[in-house]
Amino acid sequence: KAGVTQTPRYLIKTRGQQVTLSCSPISGHRSVSWYQQTPGQGLQFLFEYFSETQRNKGNFPGRFSGRQFSNSRSEMNVSTLELGDSALYLCASSSGLAGGGETQYFGPGTRLLVL
Amino acid sequence: AQTVTQSQPEMSVQEAETVTLSCTYDTSESDYYLFWYKQPPSRQMILVIRQEAYKQQNATENRFSVNFQKAAKSFSLKISDSQLGDAAMYFCAYRTPWGSGAGSYQLTFGKGTKLSVIP
């Protein structure tokens, strides 16, 4: 099975711009979660989508949004970029079914630099 | 809110020796799962081992084992026969089942421990 893929791998944007990141989960997985990783805050949960519905959301401003398509692929959008949005954005996929012990498989991440 | 604390920002171990990474967590839930993830320089997060809170037996995966103390809310990772490829950031993480309340299903991570392996 192919792993979780994220595109693009690297992005450079300027303040005020918007950006869209993409995540393709492992085939058959219906849950996609997004995490932001920074040196200062560590790994923080952004949101989770399951069967095209947002099931859970972390404590991030409304500039961060996402969606999931019928094929389980997910996109994350950040509008009006700020310098502090520079980070590694990781997505993780899992079956999303009942229980919390299932493995979440992570993608390689998208590194976003905001200038 | 659940919190996960890793008190050792950095650790080092000689190749072939054993090292233990510490993790404590705070929760009022009774049903939850604990994980150790490894993040090498490539940044790809890889699951090392997981533990179900309702299981008293400590999980083991080859050279990796945990010491799970539920009452103490402690979840340490022991790496035996350390290898150069074990050098990475190690993250302890916590998750409750979906539907168990606010913050359910999301992984809550500690700040990580950077492990260096000395040849």
Side-chain angles (χ1 to χ4, degrees):
Chain A
K1 267 187 180 178
V4 179
T5 58
Q6 291 187 245
T7 56
R9 294 293 309 279
Y10 303 93
L11 264 180
I12 299 176
K13 293 285 187 180
T14 56
R15 279 181 297 174
Q17 287 187 310
Q18 76 166 19
V19 66
T20 299
L21 312 182
S22 180
C23 172
S24 293
I26 291 171
S27 177
H29 283 184
R30 294 161 63 187
S31 168
V32 174
S33 297
W34 288 89
Y35 296 86
Q36 181 196 64
Q37 185 176 22
T38 60
Q41 298 299 317
L43 283 148
Q44 293 184 288
F45 172 76
L46 282 154
F47 31 66
E48 185 232 353
Y49 285 85
F50 177 79
S51 292
E52 301 180 66
T53 300
Q54 187 182 86
R55 280 203 307 191
N56 207 349
K57 189 178 189 302
N59 295 323
F60 278 81
R63 300 186 297 106
F64 292 81
S65 63
R67 58 178 176 169
Q68 187 179 34
F69 302 94
S70 58
N71 61 358
S72 293
R73 187 177 70 86
S74 177
E75 287 182 346
M76 189 192 92
N77 185 273
V78 187
S79 63
T80 319
L81 283 166
E82 300 177 359
L83 296 178
D85 297 333
S86 295
L88 180 68
Y89 290 88
L90 295 166
C91 83
S93 81
S94 64
S95 69
L97 301 174
E102 56 181 348
T103 299
Q104 281 192 315
Y105 295 89
F106 282 81
T110 293
R111 183 168 294 281
L112 172 65
L113 176 61
V114 182
L115 302 175
Chain B
Q2 301 90 352
T3 57
V4 177
T5 302
Q6 294 179 247
S7 58
Q8 307 148 315
E10 293 189 34
M11 291 194 73
S12 62
V13 61
Q14 293 279 353
E15 197 175 1
E17 295 297 308
T18 296
V19 64
T20 299
L21 309 184
S22 301
C23 172
T24 59
Y25 58 95
D26 185 25
T27 184
S28 57
E29 301 290 336
S30 58
D31 186 15
Y32 53 86
Y33 299 83
L34 296 164
F35 306 83
W36 278 99
Y37 277 90
K38 169 185 176 181
Q39 188 179 42
S42 68
R43 300 307 230 173
Q44 181 89 43
M45 295 281 279
I46 302 164
L47 178 68
V48 175
I49 198 165
R50 71 165 160 252
Q51 174 79 43
E52 294 89 342
Y54 60 85
K55 286 188 176 179
Q56 291 188 335
Q57 187 173 5
N58 290 322
T60 300
E61 287 287 341
N62 301 314
R63 298 183 294 108
F64 299 88
S65 61
V66 299
N67 183 4
F68 173 49
Q69 302 289 328
K70 190 172 184 178
K73 296 180 183 176
S74 170
F75 182 59
S76 60
L77 173 70
K78 186 172 82 171
I79 306 174
S80 304
D81 186 26
S82 296
Q83 301 174 1
L84 295 177
D86 295 333
M89 283 290 290
Y90 285 81
F91 293 94
C92 177
Y94 162 100
R95 186 168 74 197
T96 52
W98 168 248
S100 60
S104 66
Y105 200 71
Q106 68 190 61
L107 281 168
T108 300
F109 288 91
K111 293 292 190 184
T113 296
K114 183 178 180 181
L115 178 67
S116 300
V117 180
I118 303 166

